[in-house]
Amino acid sequence: MSPKLMVFSFFIVFLAVGALLNPVLGILGYMAHYIIGAERQWWHAPLNGLDLRYSLTLASATAVGIFLNQSKIRCKNLFDRQEVLAILLLALIWFLYLGGPETINRYTFTDHASIKLTKVMIFCLMMTHVITKPKDLDKVMWLFVWGALLL
């Protein structure tokens, strides 16, 4: 097992467990996973056959962490006006998908675009409820900087 893979595995476990106590760690881990793209890196090859779902693990841990830490989260409203509009847009996209013509074999990735957008929307809603302080937003920005430097 390569050192990069060991470090990556340690951080995924650390961030998933940490998300239960502090959901900000889950948000940062989810974003870091997509920045790094571990499944496409050479050092991840020994684990490719296991079909590990890092993003699902981190998102689930973050959702449970949000539930467990409801009293600590500063965002008290369930949805604000912009989030309601985003959810309405998602509903419109699903309506068009379900009522439109078949798109079999039009997409090269596993999920339809509406399913991908649903996943992104769930993550964005979790992020807007967790990243509410300037200090947390700084962490997100530094994640982008470090992610760009590592790649």
Side-chain angles (χ1 to χ4, degrees):
M1 187 182 283
S2 74
K4 282 188 178 184
L5 181 58
M6 290 191 310
V7 169
F8 175 77
S9 300
F10 169 77
F11 277 116
I12 289 294
V13 170
F14 171 77
L15 292 170
V17 172
L20 299 173
L21 303 173
N22 184 1
V24 172
L25 292 175
I27 297 293
L28 295 174
Y30 190 89
M31 293 175 71
H33 168 257
Y34 276 100
I35 290 171
I36 294 171
E39 292 85 358
R40 296 180 304 273
Q41 302 294 334
W42 65 268
W43 44 265
H44 190 270
L47 298 182
N48 281 342
L50 298 177
D51 289 332
L52 299 174
R53 305 268 319 263
Y54 301 114
S55 57
L56 179 62
T57 302
L58 290 166
S60 300
T62 304
V64 171
I66 290 170
F67 179 75
L68 293 176
N69 297 294
Q70 286 178 353
S71 61
K72 297 177 187 175
I73 293 177
R74 291 178 50 184
C75 185
K76 297 302 176 193
N77 295 335
L78 184 60
F79 300 117
D80 65 7
R81 197 172 81 173
Q82 295 298 319
E83 292 171 338
V84 170
L85 291 174
I87 292 169
L88 288 174
L89 174 66
L90 182 64
L92 174 67
I93 289 170
W94 270 99
F95 175 75
L96 293 173
Y97 166 63
L98 295 174
E102 277 296 320
T103 57
I104 296 173
N105 296 327
R106 283 194 190 175
Y107 298 98
T108 57
F109 38 87
T110 37
D111 293 335
H112 188 271
S114 56
I115 295 172
K116 292 270 189 198
L117 185 61
T118 302
K119 293 175 185 179
V120 169
M121 188 67 67
I122 291 169
F123 173 74
C124 288
L125 289 173
M126 286 194 306
M127 188 171 81
T128 58
H129 286 77
V130 172
I131 307 292
T132 56
K133 299 180 230 171
K135 184 178 177 182
D136 294 335
L137 187 60
D138 283 345
K139 292 175 186 173
V140 170
M141 294 302 159
W142 278 109
L143 176 69
F144 285 132
V145 170
W146 283 107
L149 290 174
L150 288 175
L151 295 178

